[in-house]
């Protein structure tokens, strides 16, 4: 009888199922709010480590970010993480936002410099009375609230404004020295870029988790424009997979799930055990990809 070789497991056999976190953006309309809460209800039983809510460019969603975070605290067992940037606000205003978060029980902030007020590609000018850099913001939070966990950004392809990788990693090191506990990466599609960046970061003596940020491309064309402006390269092989699907949203969705699932499964096989998903406030692809990572709904969450 011939021996049958079992198929390779999806996740490294020695690993327990990975830890995950989800990113949402604050809804603009009542309908978007309803849809976000459906998404949260579907994803909550996957027991993410935390769920983060972004802060619109220039602080444009300050109140909406706050109210989404507050509702997460009130109505779910999830751990919310509030994004916060230095843009367009004096130090006192930012400190006030942090104080409000601390008062309602928020213990996790994703601290960022933010994009220039004139948009990506223009020169960044710090507010004259504001936090000058993301590292200053991290320090400002940690000095007053040591019990707030702070996550920061990381750029496997370096940030577009960084002179070179050394300058980029200098900033990451400064954020870690100021008290950052974890970095979440900008979206990337080529895993080699992540591993090469990780080698550089570890060679620099930075030991915090560098959690890969994964974005399922629900709408490839729109997402490509957005991520390219933020410095992420979109490989030709990826564009080719969506070729001819502009008017076929169903197939695009299947392709997007397959691509992102392939990416996380390969990362997991190489020992990556924590993932951050840019959900775009949609549950279906992220739920499917989490399932393929071996993550199953557990527990009863009181979400929404
Ligand atoms: P930093 O980490 O402070 O800097 C990134 C790099 O840019 C540094 O390594 C440094 O080398 C270089 N750099 C910084 N400042 C300068 C300078 N003045 N001159 C030259 N080089 C410089 N944006 C939002 O508005 N709201 C959000 O909620 C949000 N969430 C994000 C979450 C994640 C996980 C990531 C990866 C990004 C997010 N962003 C968000 C985008 C982010 O604000 C932009 O990429 C912004 O341009 C940089 O902010 P940062 O904190 O990542 O930068």
């Amino acid at each position: 009888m011939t021996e049958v070789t079992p198929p390779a497991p999806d996740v490294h056999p020695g690993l327990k199922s990975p830890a995950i976190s989800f990113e949402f953006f604050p809804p603009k309309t009542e309908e978007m709010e309803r849809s976000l809460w459906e998404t949260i209800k579907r994803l909550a039983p996957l027991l993410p480590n935390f769920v983060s809510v972004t802060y619109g460019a220039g602080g444009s969603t300050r109140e909406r970010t706050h109210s989404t975070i507050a509702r997460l605290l009130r109505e779910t067992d999830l751990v919310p993480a509030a994004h916060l940037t230095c843009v367009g606000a004096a130090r006192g205003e930012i400190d006030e936002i942090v104080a409000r978060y601390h008062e309602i029980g928020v213990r996790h902030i994703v601290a960022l410099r933010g994009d220039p007020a004139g948009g990506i590609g223009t020169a960044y000018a710090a507010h004259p009375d504001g936090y000058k850099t993301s590292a200053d913001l991290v320090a400002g939070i940690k000095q007053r609230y040591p019990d707030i966990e702070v996550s920061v950004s990381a750029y496997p392809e370096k940030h577009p404004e960084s002179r070179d990788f050394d300058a980029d990693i200098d900033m990451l090191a400064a954020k870690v020295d100021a008290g950052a506990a974890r970095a979440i990466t900008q979206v990337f599609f080529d895993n080699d870029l992540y591993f090469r960046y990780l080698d550089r970061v570890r060679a620099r003596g930075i030991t915090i988790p560098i959690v890969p940020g994964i974005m399922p491309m629900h709408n490839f064309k729109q997402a490509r424009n957005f991520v390219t402006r933020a410095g992420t390269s979109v490989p030709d092989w990826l564009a080719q997979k969506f070729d001819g699907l502009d008017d076929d949203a169903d197939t695009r969705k299947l392709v997007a799930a397959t691509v992102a699932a392939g990416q996380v499964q390969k990362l997991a096989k190489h020992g990556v055990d924590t993932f951050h998903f840019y959900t775009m406030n949609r549950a279906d692809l992220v739920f499917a990809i989490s399932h393929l990572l071996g993550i199953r709904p557990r527990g009863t969450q009181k979400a929404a």
Side-chain angles (χ1 to χ4, degrees):
M1 211 166 76
T2 40
E3 226 175 82
V4 180
T5 313
D10 288 341
V11 178
H12 191 285
L15 287 175
K16 57 182 185 355
S17 51
I20 47 176
S21 52
F22 302 129
E23 183 171 306
F24 305 117
F25 59 86
K28 268 195 194 135
T29 62
E30 271 178 34
E31 198 188 328
M32 286 167 83
E33 167 117 11
R34 257 194 310 278
S35 151
L36 170 62
W37 282 85
E38 281 303 308
T39 294
I40 291 171
K41 198 173 174 179
R42 175 109 168 103
L43 296 179
L46 299 179
L47 304 188
N49 274 353
F50 63 89
V51 296
S52 77
V53 181
T54 60
Y55 191 73
S60 54
T61 66
R62 185 185 292 191
E63 286 310 319
R64 283 188 279 127
T65 301
H66 188 279
S67 62
T68 306
I69 291 281
R71 185 168 170 192
L72 281 163
L73 272 175
R74 266 196 325 270
E75 298 183 17
T76 77
D77 296 327
L78 296 165
V79 175
H83 291 221
L84 183 60
T85 74
C86 310
V87 179
R91 196 176 270 251
E93 288 173 75
I94 302 223
D95 291 349
E96 184 57 35
I97 295 173
V98 176
R100 270 175 80 200
Y101 277 137
H102 192 264
E103 203 177 296
I104 62 169
V106 175
R107 293 295 180 271
H108 189 167
I109 288 181
V110 181
L112 304 141
R113 184 200 71 176
D115 284 323
I120 297 176
T122 63
Y124 183 82
H127 187 285
D129 301 318
Y131 285 105
K132 300 281 175 268
T133 67
S134 52
D136 289 342
L137 176 59
V138 176
I141 297 168
K142 290 301 288 186
Q143 277 157 16
R144 282 178 311 122
Y145 300 106
D147 58 338
I148 293 184
E149 182 177 341
V150 177
S151 294
V152 293
S153 62
Y155 293 88
E157 301 184 58
K158 80 176 186 57
H159 186 274
E161 286 173 53
S162 296
R163 198 179 56 244
D164 51 31
F165 271 103
D166 283 343
D168 198 89
I169 293 170
D170 282 349
M171 180 61 87
L172 182 62
K175 295 190 283 192
V176 174
D177 289 346
R182 151 193 320 94
I184 301 167
T185 76
Q186 181 61 281
V187 59
F188 61 91
F189 299 106
D190 175 350
N191 288 345
D192 288 343
L193 293 170
Y194 169 79
F195 288 118
R196 278 204 291 273
Y197 177 75
L198 202 58
D199 286 346
R200 288 181 148 118
V201 166
R202 298 298 181 233
R204 181 63 194 269
I206 296 170
T207 57
I208 61 165
I210 309 291
V211 180
I214 305 295
M215 182 189 282
M217 305 275 264
H218 293 92
N219 181 336
F220 176 74
K221 274 200 162 163
Q222 207 179 47
R224 176 167 61 181
N225 287 341
F226 169 70
V227 302
T228 306
R229 277 192 297 125
T232 296
S233 56
V234 177
D236 287 344
W237 61 259
L238 181 56
Q240 274 160 19
K241 288 199 191 301
F242 289 93
D243 214 17
L245 296 179
D246 288 358
D247 301 321
D248 185 351
D250 288 345
T251 309
R252 273 206 319 265
K253 206 156 115 175
L254 293 172
V255 171
T258 307
V259 166
Q263 182 180 14
V264 295
Q265 285 173 309
K266 282 180 201 128
L267 288 167
K269 277 184 186 161
H270 284 90
V272 176
D273 60 2
T274 313
F275 298 91
H276 183 76
F277 289 104
Y278 294 105
T279 69
M280 312 307 282
N281 289 7
R282 295 167 73 155
D284 47 4
L285 299 196
V286 169
F287 191 92
I289 296 158
S290 301
H291 182 93
L292 289 169
L293 278 172
I295 297 163
R296 300 289 181 269
R298 281 168 295 161
T300 46
Q301 283 276 324
K302 57 173 179 173

